[in-house]
Every structure is written in C-alpha cells, then in structure tokens.
C-alpha cells in the first residue's frame, strides 16, 4: 500500500518536472511604443501565444523603445539578445538593406508566400539576420508626407523632413533635406521647429500626440507600411513541433488580420480632418507623377543598395502596370 502511494507521488513529481522543463519562455521586444498602433500586432501575438501555449511556450514581452532603441532591435534579434522582435525593415537596413523593400510590395503576403517572394526573402533573413519572419502584421497601410508649411506641388526644395530609410530616396528625389529620427523623437523635432514635416503612415499620428503639431497631410499616400514579427533562428530551432505550432498559429492569425487596416485607414483619415489636419491634394496628373516617383525612386534606392537582390525582389513584389 505504502509502496504504491510512493510510486504515485514520484510519478506526480516526475510529470510536474517534465512539464516545467518543457515550457520555454521567449523574450520579445517591439521597435514601436507599447500600446500604440504598430505594436498592436505583437501584443495580440503575445496574448495568443501565452493563452494557447500554457505549459509549452510563453512570451515575456519586454516592451518598446523604453527598453531598447528602435534601430538596435534588429541587431539584438540577430545576436539572440532577444528571441522575438516586432520591427520594420527600415529599422535594420544596416544588416539587411533588402528588408526595406517590403514597403514596395503591391501584392498581399498570401500571394508572396506562393509566388516565391516570401521564400526569396526568407533566405536573406536566414543569411543576414539569423532569423525567420513569422508574420507581417502591417500591410495595406500607406505612408504619407505630413508638413507644416503649405506646398502647392511636389517640389520639396527648402523643406527639412524627418525620415527613416522608408522615405529617404523619395523625399530627396523631390528636393527635400532629410534628417533621420526614431518615432520617439518626432514630437520634439516638430515642437522645436527642427523639421518642417515628416513621413509616417496614415494611422498612428495620434499615438504620440503629433496631431497637435501637424498642419497638413499630403495626398496621395504611397507604398505599404510593413511591420513584422521575427524570431531568432537558434531560438526557433530549440522549439519542438508543438511549440512551433503554437507560434505558427498565432502568426497566421496575425497576418490574416492586416485586412483590418482598410477600415482603419479610412477612420484615421476622418479623425485627422476632425482634428484640424488639412489635406493637400495635387491635380490627378501631378498626383500620378508623385505616386509613380515614389516607386521609381524607392526601387532605384533598393537596387542601388542591393544590386544582387533588388531586381529580383522587384519582380516578385511589383504589380505589372
Ligand atoms: O516612419 C517610420 O518610423 C517608419 O519607417 C515606419 C515604418 C512602419 C510603420 C510605421 C513607421
């Protein structure tokens, strides 16, 4: 009797031990401020994984730029300082210039996952970032130019604009002077008049209070903002199939949710107008030139930085005219 009870107790301890031994905790960081538009994807992902992954895999979300400067997130992921990162290609062009080409996609990720575009990028992520792109959680979300001086056409000569690599080639092609800053520095730069405007997507202008310091939005928008959840390859390889399945499912759900941006873009456009941000619209012919120039200068920049891969990415990503 006593012997049986002892075996039972040992068995319980053994189970408990193997359960805790199997549960892996991954560290995640975001290049965007917590609880803002561009961290929403990772925050939902973390919630899903922590719910479905009990006893298997959990994510410890360290947070946003308070924990790490946004332009260092790529490096931290590559070196395994963090296991999971929420960031955009423009923030790690130092390691992988090709990642900034995501902004130029004119096809949805579902199509790129079939046409070879995703696979082509996946090889570059392995080689250059030691990482796997799990999900693109922002797409169908155009960038705009926001300015505090009225412009009548797409000549930006004399304007000093806040940029990231996303906008560099385009704004420079239109004659602007550019200065790169992290999103966290935009408010102060506007407040002090250090810049006359900035590049940013249609959504998220209210997140850090920039609406207070923004007079005009220039239409049309251009490109398609990209924010993705990446995982370090070594961290991924240590997971078993069940753990990988939890992450893959949450990633798939996140990537499917980018469709929400279509309604959100429209809502934010109205919200900006209601907040007093005026729209500068060009004539249709000028608007087309402006839009075409965005892609032409964007691809020229990608190809200049990556003569080997840029042309190939253009074939996968572009929609034929
Ligand atoms: O403007 C930026 O900081 C930037 O490059 C970006 C990229 C994706 C989403 C939001 C902003």
């Amino acid at each position: 009797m006593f012997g049986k009870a002892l075996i039972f107790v040992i068995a319980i301890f053994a189970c408990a031990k193997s359960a805790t031994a199997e549960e892996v905790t991954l560290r995640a960081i975001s290049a965007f401020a917590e609880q803002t538009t561009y961290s929403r994807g990772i925050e939902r992902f973390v919630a899903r994984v922590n719910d479905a992954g009990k006893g298997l895999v959990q994510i410890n979300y360290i947070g946003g730029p308070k924990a790490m400067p946004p332009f260092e997130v790529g490096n931290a992921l590559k070196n395994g300082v963090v296991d999971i990162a929420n960031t955009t290609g423009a923030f790690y062009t130092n390691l992988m210039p090709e990642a900034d080409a995501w902004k130029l996609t004119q096809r949805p990720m579902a199509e790129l996952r079939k046409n070879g575009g995703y696979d082509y990028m996946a090889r570059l992520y392995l080689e250059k970032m030691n990482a796997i792109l799990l999900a693109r959680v922002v797409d169908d979300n155009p960038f705009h130019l926001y300015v505090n001086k009225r412009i009548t056409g797409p000549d930006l000569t004399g304007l000093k604009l806040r940029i990231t690599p996303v906008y560099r080639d385009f704004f420079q092609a239109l004659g602007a002077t550019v200065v790169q800053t992290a999103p966290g520095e935009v408010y102060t730069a506007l407040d002090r008049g250090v810049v006359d405007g900035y590049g940013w997507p249609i959504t998220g202008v209210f997140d850090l209070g920039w609406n207070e310091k923004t007079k005009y939005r220039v239409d049309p928008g251009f490109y398609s903002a990209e924010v993705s959840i990446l995982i370090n390859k070594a961290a991924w390889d240590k997971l078993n199939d069940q753990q990988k399945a939890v992450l893959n499912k949450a990633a798939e759900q996140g990537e499917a949710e980018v469709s929400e941006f279509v309604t959100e873009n429209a809502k934010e456009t109205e919200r900006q107008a209601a907040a007093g941000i005026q729209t500068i619209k060009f004539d249709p012919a000028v608007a087309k030139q402006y839009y075409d120039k965005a892609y032409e200068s964007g691809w020229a920049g990608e190809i200049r930085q990556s003569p080997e891969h840029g042309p190939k990415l253009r074939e996968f990503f572009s929609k034929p005219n």
Side-chain angles (χ1 to χ4, degrees):
M1 185 61 213
F2 179 73
K4 264 197 186 153
L6 186 65
I7 288 167
F8 183 67
V9 168
I10 290 171
I12 284 184
F13 271 103
C15 284
K17 189 166 181 296
S18 72
T20 44
E22 269 181 29
E23 187 180 277
V24 170
T25 300
L26 301 167
R27 282 158 53 86
I29 191 128
S30 178
F32 295 92
E34 281 163 69
Q35 307 278 317
T36 63
T37 307
Y38 297 103
S39 282
R40 194 192 314 144
I42 183 85
E43 287 165 6
R44 284 183 182 171
F45 179 82
V46 169
R48 282 181 177 133
V49 169
N50 288 351
D51 183 40
K54 290 199 175 77
L56 284 170
V57 56
Q58 294 288 290
I59 300 177
N60 172 16
Y61 180 49
I62 303 161
K66 281 189 205 132
M68 185 182 291
F71 298 124
E72 309 215 342
V73 166
N75 225 345
L77 181 82
K78 180 178 180 180
N79 298 330
V81 172
V82 295
D83 304 306
I84 293 177
N86 177 66
T87 185
T88 181
F91 291 3
Y92 52 93
T93 49
N94 55 326
L95 302 171
M96 179 178 168
E98 297 85 359
D100 188 33
W102 285 124
K103 72 187 179 197
L104 299 167
T105 55
Q106 292 173 311
R107 301 169 191 272
M109 281 302 274
E111 188 179 338
L112 297 176
R113 283 188 186 270
K114 287 189 202 129
N115 81 357
Y118 175 87
D119 294 337
Y120 194 94
M121 285 294 265
R123 275 197 298 278
L124 299 178
Y125 272 93
L126 275 188
E127 252 171 55
K128 302 190 176 202
M129 292 291 292
N130 186 30
I132 296 166
L133 186 147
L134 287 176
R136 176 173 183 171
V137 290
V138 177
D139 202 350
D140 285 328
N141 181 237
F143 292 100
H144 284 260
L145 166 62
Y146 297 85
V147 284
N148 284 332
K149 288 184 181 158
R150 192 168 244 301
I151 54 169
T152 51
D155 179 3
L156 307 181
T157 312
L159 290 183
K160 190 167 175 193
L161 302 175
R162 172 272 172 186
I163 57 144
T164 67
V166 164
Y167 326 90
R168 181 185 299 277
D169 295 297
F170 181 36
F171 291 175
Q172 279 184 334
L174 299 177
T177 306
V178 297
V179 44
Q180 173 158 316
T181 84
E185 291 157 35
V186 172
Y187 186 95
T188 314
L190 291 168
D191 190 40
R192 297 196 181 146
V194 172
V195 294
D196 305 306
Y198 58 96
W200 189 258
I202 188 68
T203 51
V205 165
F206 293 83
D207 286 344
L208 302 176
W210 305 343
N211 50 301
E212 293 166 13
K213 303 283 166 195
T214 304
K215 287 202 183 122
Y216 308 103
R217 185 192 65 250
V218 177
D219 280 3
F222 52 89
Y223 304 158
S224 181
E226 170 268 338
V227 176
S228 299
I229 299 171
L230 313 176
I231 185 164
N232 174 277
K233 176 67 163 57
W236 178 256
D237 287 343
K238 280 188 214 141
L239 301 175
N240 65 30
D241 288 349
Q242 260 183 306
Q243 292 164 328
K244 285 178 184 167
V246 171
L247 296 184
N248 277 333
K249 183 154 183 229
E252 258 172 53
Q253 285 173 302
E255 199 162 285
E257 280 168 355
V258 293
S259 58
E260 289 176 14
F261 273 102
V262 177
T263 35
E264 200 172 337
N265 296 342
K267 264 206 262 168
E268 285 273 304
T269 306
E270 281 176 24
R271 192 175 171 203
Q272 287 183 13
I277 299 176
Q278 298 172 55
T279 310
I280 295 176
K281 275 199 169 78
F282 302 138
D283 290 343
V286 177
K288 186 178 183 314
Q289 278 169 16
Y290 174 83
Y291 185 84
D292 289 347
K293 186 88 180 168
Y295 282 90
E296 184 196 305
S297 57
W299 276 119
E302 291 304 323
I303 291 164
R304 189 180 63 244
Q305 289 179 74
S306 183
E308 189 187 350
H309 304 296
K312 197 74 199 150
L313 292 174
R314 186 173 197 169
E315 281 173 36
F316 286 124
F317 289 179
S318 300
K319 236 237 112 84
N321 287 325

